[in-house]
């Protein structure tokens, strides 16, 4: 615990200095209050939101989109990445499509998705799933292709079938790559969920941030932005803990 505290102290010090600098700049008139209230004022507004529990409903709405899209995109990415990495025929079949869609900013797909799927949760979850698929797919593909050939030869020597080899050897060996792709995708999932809520939402953090800006409720807008930032930090922290537990064998001392 003491080591962790020492590790985060420099970052906390930089954050404190930044907030103190912003507070001074606003109080000194270098930054217009109408554009950026002092951090102390934003903090008071944030505290009121947290104490009242007003943040819970929008937070749950956003998390529901993130988790649903993240789960769907991760499953598709792992399955497709495993198939492309294991079977050359699958790679030749899907590689052109993957390379065609992968560079397209997934935010650009939200408007056409709205035409086909409407502005409900189906469109939002689909948008999140699309941004999750490709990092997970590519990392899974590289992980599967990087499995030690000696281990694969040993599995064949012992008579392991394809399904048994994939489940008990290939996927465990590729797990660090898969989890790295999922960690990247989790942040992207939050971005697309908030964007979809801004464009077509009636709730959630994205909708509220945009609604506060349109209503010129600047203090509230920044308070919701802080909640969004804390949510991203929390999601990443939880995933790191789960990742360490899943890869506990990597952290063992020799």
């Amino acid at each position: 615990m003491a080591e962790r505290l020492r590790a985060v102290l420099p970052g906390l010090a930089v954050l404190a200095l930044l907030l103190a600098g912003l507070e001074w700049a606003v109080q000194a008139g270098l930054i217009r209050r109408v554009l950026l209230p002092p951090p102390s004022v934003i903090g008071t507004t944030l505290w009121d939101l947290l104490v009242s529990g007003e943040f819970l409903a929008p937070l749950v709405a956003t998390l529901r989109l993130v988790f649903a899209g993240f789960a769907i995109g991760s499953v598709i990415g792992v399955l497709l990445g495993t198939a492309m990495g294991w079977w050359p025929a699958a790679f030749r079949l899907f590689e052109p499509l993957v390379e065609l869609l992968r560079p397209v900013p997934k935010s650009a797909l939200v408007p056409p998705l709205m035409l086909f799927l409407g502005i409900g949760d189906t469109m939002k979850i689909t948008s999140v799933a699309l941004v999750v698929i490709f990092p997970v797919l590519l990392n899974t593909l590289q992980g599967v292709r990087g499995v030690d050939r000696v281990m694969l030869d040993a599995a064949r020597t012992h008579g392991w079938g394809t399904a048994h080899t994939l489940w008990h050897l290939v996927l465990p060996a590729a797990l660090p790559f898969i989890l790295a792709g999922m960690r990247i995708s989790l942040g992207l999932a939050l971005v697309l969920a908030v964007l979809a809520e801004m464009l077509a939402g009636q709730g959630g953090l994205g909708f509220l941030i945009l609604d506060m800006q349109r209503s010129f409720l600047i203090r509230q807008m920044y308070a919701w932005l802080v909640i969004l930032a804390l949510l991203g930090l929390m999601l990443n922290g939880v995933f790191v803990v789960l990742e360490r537990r899943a890869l506990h064998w990597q952290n063992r001392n020799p």
Side-chain angles (χ1 to χ4, degrees), residues 146-189:
V147 176
D148 192 341
R149 295 299 169 184
V150 175
M151 297 174 64
L152 293 174
D153 292 338
R156 294 189 185 97
T157 301
H158 286 81
W160 286 16
T162 298
H164 193 79
T165 301
L166 286 173
W167 185 253
H168 292 280
L169 174 58
V170 175
L171 288 178
L175 188 59
F177 291 87
I178 296 172
L179 292 178
M182 292 176 67
R183 184 178 177 184
I184 295 171
S185 295
L186 184 58
L188 296 175

Side-chain angles (χ1 to χ4, degrees), residues 193-204:
V194 170
L195 176 64
E197 289 172 339
M198 286 182 172
L199 294 178
Q202 296 297 323

Side-chain angles (χ1 to χ4, degrees), residues 2-205:
E3 291 182 359
R4 289 185 180 180
L5 183 59
R6 284 195 296 268
V8 301
L9 276 178
L12 293 177
V14 170
L15 179 60
L17 287 174
L18 176 62
L19 292 176
L22 286 175
E23 184 79 22
W24 172 82
V26 175
Q27 298 292 356
L30 300 178
I31 300 177
R32 296 175 60 188
R33 284 174 173 263
V34 71
L35 300 178
L36 177 62
S40 58
V41 175
I42 298 173
T44 301
T45 305
L46 174 64
W47 177 255
D48 292 339
L49 286 174
L50 296 177
V51 170
S52 67
E54 188 179 342
F55 72 99
L56 285 175
L59 182 67
V60 170
T62 299
L63 282 176
R64 184 165 53 86
L65 297 179
V66 171
F67 288 153
F70 181 74
I72 294 171
S74 295
V75 170
I76 295 174
V78 170
L79 291 177
L80 192 54
T82 301
M84 292 176 65
W86 185 257
W87 290 287
F91 180 83
R92 292 192 297 269
L93 181 64
F94 291 108
E95 194 265 346
L97 179 62
V98 169
E99 289 304 313
L100 177 66
L101 296 178
R102 181 179 61 84
V104 177
K106 303 309 173 287
S107 56
L109 297 178
V110 174
L113 286 175
M114 292 172 63
L115 293 178
F116 283 93
L117 302 176
I119 60 173
D121 286 350
T122 301
M123 181 276 297
K124 300 171 193 173
I125 293 173
T126 302
S127 301
V128 174
L130 284 173
V131 80
V132 170
I133 288 174
F134 293 97
V136 176
L137 186 157
L138 294 177
N139 276 46
T140 303
L141 173 61
Q142 294 302 318
V144 171
R145 285 185 166 181
V147 176
D148 192 341
R149 295 299 169 184
V150 175
M151 297 174 64
L152 293 174
D153 292 338
R156 294 189 185 97
T157 301
H158 286 81
W160 286 16
T162 298
H164 193 79
T165 301
L166 286 173
W167 185 253
H168 292 280
L169 174 58
V170 175
L171 288 178
L175 188 59
F177 291 87
I178 296 172
L179 292 178
M182 292 176 67
R183 184 178 177 184
I184 295 171
S185 295
L186 184 58
L188 296 175
L190 182 59
V191 171
L192 256 293
V194 170
L195 176 64
E197 289 172 339
M198 286 182 172
L199 294 178
Q202 296 297 323
L205 297 177

Side-chain angles (χ1 to χ4, degrees), residues 232-253:
L233 182 65
M234 179 198 71
L235 289 176
N236 183 71
V238 171
F239 191 89
V240 168
V241 172
L242 296 177
E243 183 180 28
R244 287 176 179 171
R245 291 186 178 182
L247 302 177
H248 59 89
W249 47 270
Q250 285 190 336
N251 301 320
R252 290 178 180 174
N253 294 323

